[in-house]
Amino acid sequence: MSELNLILIGPPGAGKGTQADRLRDDFRLPFISTGEMLRANVKDGTELGLQAKRHMDSGGLVPDELIVAMVADRLHQGDAQDGFILDGFPRTTGQADALARQLRDQGRRITAALLIDVPDAEVVRRISGRRVCVKAGHNYHVDFDPPKTEGICDQDGSRLIQRDDDRPDVVQNRLDTYHAKTAPLIDYYDEQGLLRRIDGTRSPAEVHDHIRAVIATLRLEDDV
Ligand code: AMP
């Protein structure tokens, strides 16, 4: 075992995107977000994007076969051979089984699944104020993490918008989907001894510190 293959699990609004920005800077691991990949496909008008959009807009999940193929391609790329951090995948036990099979075929396995845990009420509060930049998807929050100039991205000067699926009616559907389809992964990975829990209600800096500490421990345990 000489690589760090990590999964991030958590409800929408748990802060995975915020942590992604930080972890990208900390570790030389590709950060693979299926939500970001799908949004890029929608923006580019690809066949996959066209098929995915109606599921995304309603707060449901894109069918497993589409997602599994997309992730399989991504994990075969050169930069993912020494480890990766997956955000937003797997989201069903079917996807988790497919991922385990794919990795096993390559003689690899998941190192750990990090659960960033946040209660529903907090999710709704966070998501209603969330804004992203149109250019690169940098994240802000109108109350907790406002940009220096209202409506403008600090990092690239592009416009800030609310994601279509962050609208209040869609958020409840996304939460329902999370509890029905994705939360079973908590037991799935716990039973395999792979689950690490992180309190996502803490500040972004504290969550970041905790994740780094968990990763440092995993590196020691696995000597990676
Ligand atoms: P996210 O940015 O991770 O919240 O993803 C946004 C939307 O993309 C989700 O609400 C789903 O519709 C879709 N999506 C992202 N990842 C997956 C996945 N692993 N399986 C199915 N749908 C997904």
Side-chain angles (χ1 to χ4, degrees), residues 34-35 38-39 56 60-62 67 88-89 91 95 163 174:
T34 45
L38 290 170
R39 281 188 287 281
M56 297 168 74
L61 292 182
V62 176
I67 294 287
F89 180 93
R91 246 184 170 91
Q95 293 179 12
R163 270 167 49 179
R174 289 170 67 200

Side-chain angles (χ1 to χ4, degrees), residues 11-207:
K16 292 183 275 93
T18 305
Q19 295 303 325
D21 290 344
R22 295 169 182 246
L23 295 171
R24 267 193 192 107
D25 296 338
D26 291 342
F27 297 99
R28 295 225 209 117
L29 293 175
F31 201 98
I32 301 171
S33 155
T34 45
E36 271 175 27
M37 291 170 80
L38 290 170
R39 281 188 287 281
N41 273 277
V42 170
K43 200 169 161 192
D44 295 346
T46 67
E47 180 60 35
L48 171 62
L50 290 176
Q51 292 188 48
K53 188 169 178 1
R54 65 192 169 91
H55 301 285
M56 297 168 74
D57 285 351
S58 68
L61 292 182
V62 176
D64 280 0
E65 60 272 19
L66 295 179
I67 294 287
V68 166
M70 181 180 85
V71 174
D73 276 356
R74 183 65 188 84
L75 292 183
H76 273 115
Q77 287 173 22
D79 66 341
Q81 300 316 305
D82 295 331
F84 52 78
I85 304 179
L86 272 174
D87 165 18
F89 180 93
R91 246 184 170 91
T92 64
T93 50
Q95 293 179 12
D97 287 340
L99 175 64
R101 266 196 308 276
Q102 185 196 345
L103 292 176
R104 198 166 46 235
D105 289 349
Q106 298 176 5
R108 310 169 72 182
R109 67 173 179 85
I110 294 296
T111 314
L114 313 184
L115 169 67
I116 306 185
D117 216 1
V118 176
D120 287 8
E122 176 67 11
V123 164
V124 172
R125 200 165 73 93
R126 288 181 180 186
I127 289 189
S128 58
R130 181 154 79 177
R131 300 292 180 270
V132 296
C133 83
V134 287
K135 195 165 173 192
H138 294 124
N139 288 282
Y140 296 87
H141 191 284
V142 291
D143 299 320
F144 313 134
D145 184 21
K148 292 195 184 78
T149 310
E150 195 184 323
I152 304 290
C153 179
D154 293 347
Q155 297 188 56
D156 60 30
S158 72
R159 211 159 39 87
L160 300 183
I161 56 161
Q162 184 169 46
R163 270 167 49 179
D164 284 345
D165 58 353
D166 280 352
R167 293 191 323 265
D169 49 325
V170 182
V171 170
Q172 192 52 52
N173 285 344
R174 289 170 67 200
L175 268 173
D176 292 346
T177 303
Y178 174 76
H179 289 296
K181 304 268 176 62
T182 306
L185 289 178
I186 298 171
D187 284 345
Y188 178 101
Y189 286 117
D190 204 14
E191 282 161 14
Q192 297 176 37
L194 295 177
L195 192 75
R196 302 289 184 280
R197 289 176 192 271
I198 290 154
D199 179 358
T201 63
R202 313 301 287 264
S203 71
E206 286 171 313
V207 173

